[in-house]
Amino acid sequence: MTARMLRLFPGQPEEVAVAGAYLSHRLHELGSEASPFVYASFVSSLDGRIALRDPATGESRLPAGLVSDTDFRLFLELQAQADCLITHGGYLRDLAAGRLDDVLQVGMQKAANGLARWRADNGLPPQPVVVVASASLEFPMPDSLARHGQRVFIATGAAAPPERVAHWRAAGYEVLIAGAGQSVEGAALLRELDMRGLRSLYLLAGPRMLDTMLRDGRLSRLYLTTAHRLLGGESFHSMLAGSELGKAGRLRLGALHYDSGTLDGTGQFFAHFEPWAHGPEL
Ligand SMILES: NC(=O)c1ccc[n+]([C@@H]2O[C@H](COP(=O)([O-])OP(=O)(O)OC[C@H]3O[C@@H](n4cnc5c(N)ncnc54)[C@H](OP(=O)(O)O)[C@@H]3O)[C@@H](O)[C@H]2O)c1
């Protein structure tokens, strides 16, 4: 049976198919020269946890009970619309250690049914470009990127360790200097990617990359799946860890869907928001 969910906003509530719900957003058409479309997605608990940290080892993990087949399909639909995936050194270290799955290619999983074809039909190359943001530049490069012929950029700040910059350049990678300090800054990175003709950019990254894009006013859309449970846990990550955002953190709801059947019937909300930095600070 085709999975379905309820669209609660905008308009009158209406049942829609899960498959295709995010493809209909046509994110690959929303960016333009000097104004790439930058989107991010997170899965969170009701108490705002996106990952739990083991207090003993300091290791972080995505807790069981947050994700479902529905949000995985929607995640793959977001990935399929990207010219470019922006990931980071931490993800590649987690991937190498077997803590996370490889999601840097389109069309590899059973749930990605039809998405490789969708890219071809919509004039996108088979696989997106990948950007790895890192301040330390200490990460392993996964073989899957070369195997799938993906173009890879490494992004870092001007104060990154010069020997690591030299290491990656000697290995044949283009290293983009996108920030005055050690970290990558949103506006500087987007300038570099815009020059290379990349228009739909999916942040497959975490709190720090979201923070820099929001502060620089460069986030176009935030997708948020909320699992209807409280997690607790003394040590955890939320979507942001930096200082107060002020107006840059104001968002307006674009759409809200509800799947009551996921996670053993506790269900999930699927929302997306757009920055709304207009008007006086409240
Ligand atoms: N539930 C969800 O939807 C969701 C989404 C994202 C992440 N998570 C989880 O949340 C936890 C924390 O996320 P995270 O690991 O992404 O944390 P993070 O603190 O945002 O990023 C970790 C690493 O990414 C690199 N990085 C990120 N932004 C950078 C920037 N602007 N400039 C240079 N380097 C940058 C750095 O790598 P170097 O050390 O190489 O410099 C940094 O150590 C993890 O367990 C993750 O799996 C959950």
Side-chain angles (χ1 to χ4, degrees), residues 42-43 50-51 60 62 88-89 93 133-136 183-184 205-208 237:
F42 285 87
V43 180
I50 63 159
S60 298
L62 193 65
H88 60 41
R93 291 190 292 271
S134 175
S136 68
S183 291
V184 172
R208 279 180 57 191
H237 296 268

Side-chain angles (χ1 to χ4, degrees), residues 105 141-152 173:
Q105 286 83 36
M141 191 62 81
D143 298 339
S144 62
L145 297 173
R147 226 178 23 251
H148 292 278
Q150 284 168 283
R151 192 168 178 198
V152 178
Y173 291 95

